[in-house]
Amino acid sequence: MTQSYIIMIYIFCAPSGSGKSTMVKHLLTMHPDLFELSVSCTTRPPRGQEVHGKEYYFISVEEFQKRIENDDFIEYEQVYEGLYYGTLKEEIDRIESAGRQVLFDVDVKGGLNLKRILGDKAVSIFICPPSIDELRRRLEGRGDTSPEMIEKRLAKAEEELSYKPYFDRIVVNDDLNHAFEQLDAIIDENNDL
Ligand code: ADP
Ligand code: 5GP
């Protein structure tokens, strides 16, 4: 089969703990030459084994402000109180000029903004947790988030779930293999793999 000429961008959104990173890692493992994750800037400190430049560019609030003034972000949000996250315009150029398709893992508002800006070039995908109770179990099970931050994330989850209808596609992440199958079908629709 021939490779599609359309370079798609995939935007992953969900309440924290729903499985965005798991979905993105699945695509990067299955198609290492096709996809690359856009690395965002954040003012939160690294968690667990996270490395500067891999999961995030970990920067100070002052540097984040400077980057806002320089118009470096295509979008940014204060996702949690005092914690800023932003998508760098230069990440899209870097990944596309390497011939790869961009994957975004961003919060729900950031994802809807990216979709508005990128239009038909992008597919917005909402990863839906089976329930709030399961979301709590997954956040607790990940073992790298403080109890206080878990409560903040769960408090935000209800509001984030209400944005689900505004996304192009929804993947329910209950059974993991079934979620991968749903995701693979979406990718197959948009790429001649
Ligand atoms: P997010 O990136 O949306 O915050 P993660 O991908 O880090 O979420 O997933 C949160 C936790 O839940 C991780 O420990 C992950 O291994 C686990 N997880 C993800 N999907 C499933 C699933 N379908 N069943 C059980 N655990 C899952
Ligand atoms: P975490 O702290 O768990 O890595 O991320 C918290 C939330 O911030 C997640 O929903 C994640 O998708 C989101 N996020 C990460 N990078 C960005 C970004 O560049 N912009 C926006 N709007 N959200 C982001």
Side-chain angles (χ1 to χ4, degrees), residues 18-118:
S18 305
K20 280 175 305 212
S21 314
T22 306
M23 295 298 131
V24 165
K25 266 184 213 139
H26 167 72
L27 289 186
L28 292 172
T29 306
M30 296 298 289
H31 308 287
D33 297 329
L34 185 59
F35 297 118
E36 194 166 338
L37 178 67
S38 165
V39 180
S40 295
C41 289
T42 182
T43 62
R44 80 150 166 77
R47 215 166 49 199
Q49 304 297 309
E50 287 179 335
V51 173
H52 179 82
K54 187 165 176 264
E55 284 81 8
Y56 284 105
Y57 301 112
F58 295 99
I59 62 176
S60 64
V61 175
E62 292 71 31
E63 202 179 333
F64 202 99
Q65 291 294 350
K66 222 180 283 165
R67 284 195 162 254
I68 294 173
E69 282 157 29
N70 287 345
D71 200 23
D72 289 342
F73 294 119
I74 185 168
E75 67 77 36
Y76 68 90
E77 295 284 337
Q78 185 178 179
V79 178
Y80 302 104
E81 201 187 330
L83 297 181
Y84 293 85
Y85 295 76
T87 306
L88 293 166
K89 291 176 183 169
E90 65 194 28
E91 279 293 286
I92 303 179
D93 296 339
R94 178 181 70 76
I95 294 168
E96 290 194 341
S97 56
R100 297 204 174 92
Q101 302 191 4
V102 184
L103 305 180
F104 286 117
D105 172 342
V106 293
D107 88 316
V108 168
K109 284 188 184 150
L112 290 174
N113 278 332
L114 284 172
K115 173 65 188 177
R116 187 176 44 76
I117 296 162
L118 298 167

Side-chain angles (χ1 to χ4, degrees), residues 13-25 47 105 127 130 134-135 137-139 141-144 153 172-177 179-180:
C13 298
S16 181
S18 305
K20 280 175 305 212
S21 314
T22 306
M23 295 298 131
V24 165
K25 266 184 213 139
R47 215 166 49 199
D105 172 342
I127 309 297
E134 176 61 16
L135 198 58
R137 273 193 287 278
R138 288 186 192 171
L139 282 169
R142 200 166 63 184
D144 59 5
R153 282 162 192 250
V172 180
N173 183 19
D174 191 351
D175 173 74
L176 190 56
N177 283 326
F180 287 158

